[in-house]
């Protein structure tokens, strides 16, 4: 008989987690104003709020930490990290930062100015924030198909080349660079194909514009290219990674995702002017150039994490687990953004709770229901996150309303995933009884998602 699939690692250290009772969760959720960001982690049984900084490091990474060089300037850990990044990406210049948004802040301080337009595929919130905060525009050129959750496409994170060309021809003077987010988090952890990256680069060259990759989940993107795109089945993840980055001029990285560290990030580029321009901002905002916001030990752990997570076995174990959750939801007919993405399942709340009016935030309601059901913490990626229109102050109901179940790397077993799926099934089965959602009692004027206070209706 063919042997079944199993994880490419075994467990050396464990952390106990605790179940709670429904009355306990009712009280905790009320005290948290029905906002899961306000819960204490010990009030959570299975935590799927994010895959960012929540992964488990390997024995090699912990060993590398012990060898960290904490020298202020010229630390060996920096050169170790730099040479790993150079080997993986082909980018010559490396600036460490304390996380992804810090890399954006440092680089965009040099690159983005008032009135600029930065086209890309579903800019992540902080990326958009760093663009809009500089009075520039983040122009979303993602393919329209990404908005239909039930459509199965292998590369649903792609840039629409026509939309991009349109933007370039119309606003050529105002575009400092093009940004491509791999994988496309906001569209559901959906990958971008090599063919799409090649077309973007050709177009960019024609208009003499550099291309920046927001690379938080680049290794997962490479896995999808290997397993889905013609001509890549026999290439290694490291070969595919190199080929992807050859189609960009630089990258910002949140190392908390595919670097499998709890904190860290960096900028890497082949452009001397980007490096020279960003350097000063790194010193001003983050720290001196050979640590930029990171400890020596963390740079060492990151170098090892990047090396490990660009190996097929590690990625296969991870992405198969996300797909396993999707398979369970298929069994129960629960709709989600198809196909399963690299780091999370995005449940389509408007289809799961059709009786909850959009003004009462269905995805947030589903997030609350799942927590009350079994202590599982997901995260709303929907109408609350979308904030209000800055001019009209109306809620933005134009996008998708999703519950994201982000899977931390190397943390939970498939047994935990079974619990998540069963809990969601229980909520789904009583969906007819869930007719009311929540209303906002208090919200911050900007980025209300993290602090909003809600009341149940
Ligand atoms: N880019 C992408 C695509 C991201 O998903 C994130 C973070 C960032 C940039 C910013 O990186 O958190 O290190 O400052 N995403 C997390 C998430 C927070 O939960 O999806 P950071």
């Amino acid at each position: 008989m063919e042997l079944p699939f199993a994880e490419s690692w075994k467990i050396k250290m464990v952390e106990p987690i605790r179940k709670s009772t429904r009355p306990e969760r009712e009280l905790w959720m009320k005290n948290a104003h029905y906002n899961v960001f306000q819960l204490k982690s010990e009030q959570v049984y299975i935590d799927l709020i994010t895959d960012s900084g929540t992964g488990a490091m390997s024995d090699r990474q912990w060993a590398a930490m012990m060898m960290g060089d904490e020298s202020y300037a010229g630390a060996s850990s920096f050169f170790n990290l730099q040479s790993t990044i150079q080997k993986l990406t082909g980018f010559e210049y490396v600036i460490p930062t304390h996380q992804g948004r810090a890399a954006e802040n440092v680089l965009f301080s040099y690159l983005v100015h008032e009135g600029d337009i930065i086209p890309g595929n579903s800019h992540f919130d902080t990326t958009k924030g760093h663009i809009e905060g500089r009075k520039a525009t983040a122009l979303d050129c993602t393919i329209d198909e990404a908005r239909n959750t039930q459509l199965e496409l292998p590369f649903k994170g792609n840039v629409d080349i026509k939309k991009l060309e349109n933007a370039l021809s119309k606003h050529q003077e105002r575009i400092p660079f093009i940004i491509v987010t791999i994988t496309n988090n906001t569209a559901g952890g959906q990958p971008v194909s090599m063919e799409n990256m090649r077309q973007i680069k050709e177009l960019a060259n024609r208009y003499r514009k550099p291309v920046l990759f927001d690379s938080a989940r680049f290794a997962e993107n490479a896995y999808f290219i290997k397993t889905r795109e013609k001509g890549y089945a026999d290439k290694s993840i490291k070969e595919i990674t190199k080929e992807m980055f050859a189609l960009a001029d630089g990258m910002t990285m949140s190392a908390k995702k595919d670097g499998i560290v709890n904190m860290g990030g960096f900028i890497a580029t082949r452009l001397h002017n980007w490096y020279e321009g960003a350097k000063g901002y790194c010193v001003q905002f983050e720290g001196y150039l050979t640590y930029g916001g990171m400890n020596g030990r963390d740079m060492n752990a990151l170098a090892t994490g990047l090396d490990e997570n660009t190996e097929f076995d590690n990625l296969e174990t991870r992405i198969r687990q996300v797909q396993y959750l999707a398979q369970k939801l298929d069994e129960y007919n629960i709709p989600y953004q198809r196909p399963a993405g690299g780091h999370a399942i995005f449940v389509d709340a408007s289809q799961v709770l059709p009786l909850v009016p959009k003004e009462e935030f269905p995805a947030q309601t589903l997030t609350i229901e799942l927590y009350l059901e079994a202590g599982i913490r997901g995260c709303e990626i929907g109408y609350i996150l979308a904030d209000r229109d800055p001019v009209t102050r109306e809620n933005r109901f134009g996008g998708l309303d999703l519950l994201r179940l982000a899977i931390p790397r190397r943390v939970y077993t498939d047994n935990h995933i079974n619990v998540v799926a069963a809990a969601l099934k229980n909520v789904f089965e009583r969906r007819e009884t869930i007719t009311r959602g929540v209303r906002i009692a208090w919200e911050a004027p900007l980025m209300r998602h993290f602090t909003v206070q809600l009341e149940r209706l």
Side-chain angles (χ1 to χ4, degrees), residues 50 99-101 104 124 185 214 217 254 256-257 404:
T50 182
Q99 61 184 87
R101 67 200 68 183
E104 292 163 359
F124 182 67
N185 182 3
D214 174 351
R217 300 178 182 85
S254 169
K256 302 168 72 168
K257 283 83 166 175
R404 185 181 77 171

Side-chain angles (χ1 to χ4, degrees), residues 171-188:
H171 307 292
Q172 189 166 359
E173 262 75 79
R174 295 169 64 191
I175 295 177
F177 61 94
I178 298 161
I179 187 163
V180 186
T181 304
I182 54 172
T183 58
N184 184 330
N185 182 3
T186 313

Side-chain angles (χ1 to χ4, degrees), residues 313-328:
D313 287 356
N314 202 63
L315 289 161
E316 186 185 37
T317 297
R318 163 168 188 59
I319 290 174
R320 282 184 72 130
Q321 187 172 52
V322 179
Q323 290 170 344
Y324 176 71
L325 175 56
Q327 202 182 309
K328 284 274 159 196

Side-chain angles (χ1 to χ4, degrees), residues 99-160:
Q99 61 184 87
R101 67 200 68 183
E104 292 163 359
N105 189 32
V106 167
L107 187 61
F108 292 6
S109 291
Y110 170 62
L111 286 180
V112 181
H113 300 99
E114 187 171 343
D116 284 353
I117 295 173
I118 291 98
N121 55 339
S122 324
H123 311 62
F124 182 67
D125 317 322
T126 60
T127 320
K128 200 172 180 173
H130 280 303
I131 292 170
E132 291 178 348
R134 291 175 171 82
K135 298 198 168 68
T137 307
L139 183 67
D140 188 4
C141 298
T142 310
I143 54 170
D144 290 336
E145 290 90 332
R147 293 169 59 87
N148 178 349
T149 59
Q150 297 313 293
L151 200 63
E152 292 257 359
L153 281 183
F155 293 101
K156 221 173 171 179
N158 276 357
V159 172
D160 185 320

Side-chain angles (χ1 to χ4, degrees), residues 33-38 358-359 361 364 380 382-389 393-397 401 439-454:
H33 302 282
Y34 298 96
N35 176 350
V36 292
F37 285 99
Q38 305 294 321
K358 65 178 189 311
E359 293 77 13
F361 305 105
Q364 181 64 24
E380 192 247 33
Y383 301 144
I384 293 184
L385 179 71
D387 258 316
R388 291 176 187 274
D389 184 284
R393 299 307 297 159
E394 292 296 324
N395 282 305
R396 291 195 268 210
F397 291 123
D401 195 36
R439 70 168 205 94
I440 294 176
W442 179 87
E443 66 185 291
L446 245 186
M447 301 203 103
R448 65 185 181 184
H449 199 228
F450 303 107
T451 53
V452 68
Q453 298 186 357
L454 302 164

Side-chain angles (χ1 to χ4, degrees), residues 295-307:
N295 298 305
R297 52 182 174 271
D298 290 342
M299 289 191 281
N300 261 4
L302 173 54
T304 305
L306 287 169
D307 179 48

